[in-house]
Amino acid sequence: MTTALLENTTRTALWSGSVIDADVHANVPSLETLQKYQERVWVQWAQERGWAGPSGLKIAYPPNAPTTSRDEWRLDDGPPASDLGALQRHILDPWQVEKAVLNCYYAIDSLRHPDWAAALARSVNDWLVAEWLDRDPRLVGSLVVPARDPQAAADEIDRIGGHPGFKQVMLPVRSETLYGQRIWWPFFDAAVRNDLVVGMHWGGTPDGSPSTSGFPSWYVEEYAAETQVYAAQVISMIAEGVLRKFPELRISMLDCGFTWIPTWGWRMNKEWKGLRREIPWVDRPPMDLVREHFRFSVAPIDSGPPEHMAKIVEWLGTDDLLMFGTDYPHRHDDDIAEFLQVLPETMRANVMSETARRWYRL
């Protein structure tokens, strides 16, 4: 079976405890859907230009790619994950989900017009509240921000981040500048001030390379290489001092897997020992900071043979780092039953619900 589909079993046969899904998606059906949440000037602005939505959305999620949606979850009358009833039928009900963290990537970061990007983010957030969070108490949400403009992003957090349904603010992992740099500090200050987790998710501005060395030719290169960008963002936030400046900061890394963390941590810890004189504010090994300030959703698991996965889980060095997530509607053929068997008994409840419950204060 896969992480998301309960094939040939039942949810309680697989896992009898609580389930919190740390990563399900809501997609905007169309630009017209958002117009009742927008000021008239922006409705006219888009209509006069014949603008139908951010171009970056189809770059990050090609409409017909398997990674964009499982075939079982495609809808006849809209993009996948654009209907609350479908989410309830596909994930919330069969998995008996207690809480699910709803994430929307609408590629607002692909816009260069600062005022339009801010207005579009406001409309997406108001739509998320009205059409999703207010209609199913199992859902908590992630607000979106104009991610090219850190101050505008902070303003949007202060505008709506206090809504009780929002527990997280989303950033795309690809960005024009690394998130550790000081231009981003007003954003992190607003996230902490509003008691929100910062969720970093696959995708991002088309101007930002999905690898650390430039643009690839093929989607498979982009899809596989983007994990490198997650690692670069973690290194930046540690080395630039964000975690010292904001000691209460919580960051969720979503849709990036986790098998790369132990070897990355070994390398960072080793280099920190030799070079920490240039970053004296990093007062402990980087992997210790990861365990304190970061959590990771499990999908895609990238599991390999069970005996190898057992080693990787042991190398994480904590029971409190991973969170169950289906990444609905994206396709990952992870074997969650096999993964649960690999986990130590003391870790299973944390992965399936308790780490996310503590992290998001649910």
Side-chain angles (χ1 to χ4, degrees):
M1 65 169 295
T2 71
T3 300
L5 297 180
L6 290 164
E7 297 165 311
N8 303 317
T9 188
T10 63
R11 192 286 227 182
T12 52
L14 180 72
W15 171 249
S16 60
S18 300
V19 169
I20 294 177
D21 192 330
D23 188 20
V24 299
H25 287 269
N27 289 325
V28 176
S30 66
L31 183 64
E32 289 72 24
T33 303
L34 300 177
Q35 288 178 345
K36 70 177 182 179
Y37 303 101
Q38 293 169 354
E39 299 169 12
R40 183 62 187 162
V41 62
W42 295 115
V43 175
Q44 291 179 326
W45 189 92
Q47 289 176 339
E48 289 171 356
R49 288 160 176 77
W51 194 82
S55 60
L57 190 60
K58 292 183 179 179
I59 295 173
Y61 294 108
N64 296 318
T67 50
T68 299
S69 176
R70 302 188 68 90
D71 289 342
E72 300 93 327
W73 294 338
R74 293 189 184 276
L75 305 179
D76 294 332
D77 54 354
S82 62
D83 179 76
L84 174 60
L87 172 63
Q88 292 166 336
R89 292 192 305 276
H90 295 158
I91 291 293
L92 301 184
D93 295 342
W95 272 94
Q96 302 170 34
V97 171
E98 180 182 330
K99 291 287 183 182
V101 183
L102 190 69
N103 300 317
C104 176
Y105 177 64
Y106 194 48
I108 293 171
D109 53 291
S110 63
L111 306 182
R112 286 192 169 277
H113 191 309
D115 294 331
W116 176 220
L120 195 60
R122 289 195 297 272
S123 65
V124 171
N125 291 328
D126 290 343
W127 168 78
L128 280 170
V129 170
E131 305 293 337
W132 297 80
L133 303 184
D134 282 354
R135 294 175 59 197
D136 193 317
R138 292 172 291 186
L139 296 176
V140 295
S142 305
L143 64 99
V144 300
V145 293
R148 286 179 183 269
D149 186 340
Q151 184 56 58
D155 293 343
E156 178 61 6
I157 292 172
D158 285 334
R159 184 188 77 87
I160 201 166
H163 186 285
F166 282 124
K167 300 296 182 183
Q168 182 167 255
V169 51
M170 291 288 292
L171 283 178
V173 70
R174 288 161 56 182
S175 58
E176 289 185 308
T177 56
L178 288 165
Y179 289 132
Q181 295 182 0
R182 294 186 182 189
I183 190 174
W184 281 98
W185 289 13
F187 167 86
F188 291 115
D189 185 34
V192 170
R193 190 167 60 247
N194 286 275
D195 196 28
L196 295 174
V197 173
V198 173
M200 201 165 296
H201 200 277
W202 200 93
T205 172
D207 300 343
S209 167
S211 82
T212 55
S213 299
F215 287 88
S217 301
W218 303 99
Y219 184 61
V220 64
E221 296 177 74
E222 175 176 342
Y223 198 73
E226 201 151 300
T227 299
Q228 303 169 50
V229 185
Y230 283 91
Q233 296 286 15
V234 175
I235 293 170
S236 173
M237 286 184 281
I238 291 174
E240 297 276 358
V242 172
L243 304 180
R244 177 177 178 179
K245 179 70 174 177
F246 306 103
E248 298 176 354
L249 186 61
R250 295 167 284 151
I251 305 164
S252 290
M253 305 297 273
L254 307 168
D255 208 358
C256 64
F258 61 89
T259 55
W260 54 275
I261 300 169
T263 53
W264 171 91
W266 296 339
R267 176 63 182 267
M268 280 302 298
N269 282 359
K270 183 189 75 172
E271 303 300 351
W272 170 78
K273 290 176 183 175
L275 295 169
R276 59 184 173 183
R277 63 186 181 280
E278 66 172 14
I279 49 173
W281 46 86
V282 181
D283 58 0
R284 73 199 90 163
M287 193 59 195
D288 288 3
L289 291 168
V290 168
R291 296 188 184 103
E292 182 178 342
H293 289 277
F294 291 81
R295 296 294 181 269
F296 297 79
S297 64
V298 296
I301 292 179
D302 305 328
S303 57
E307 62 271 23
H308 293 177
M309 176 52 70
K311 284 289 186 186
I312 292 172
V313 169
E314 178 185 351
W315 291 337
L316 293 174
T318 175
D319 289 348
D320 195 26
L321 201 65
L322 305 181
M323 302 182 294
F324 173 75
T326 56
D327 198 21
Y328 172 85
H330 305 150
R331 177 166 191 156
H332 303 293
D333 289 329
D334 306 326
D335 190 328
I336 189 65
E338 184 178 87
F339 182 59
L340 283 170
Q341 290 177 353
V342 165
L343 294 179
E345 185 174 350
T346 55
M347 192 173 179
R348 291 173 193 159
N350 278 346
V351 170
M352 295 305 292
S353 60
E354 298 311 302
T355 293
R357 189 191 308 281
R358 291 188 290 269
W359 198 241
Y360 290 103
R361 311 198 202 287
L362 299 176

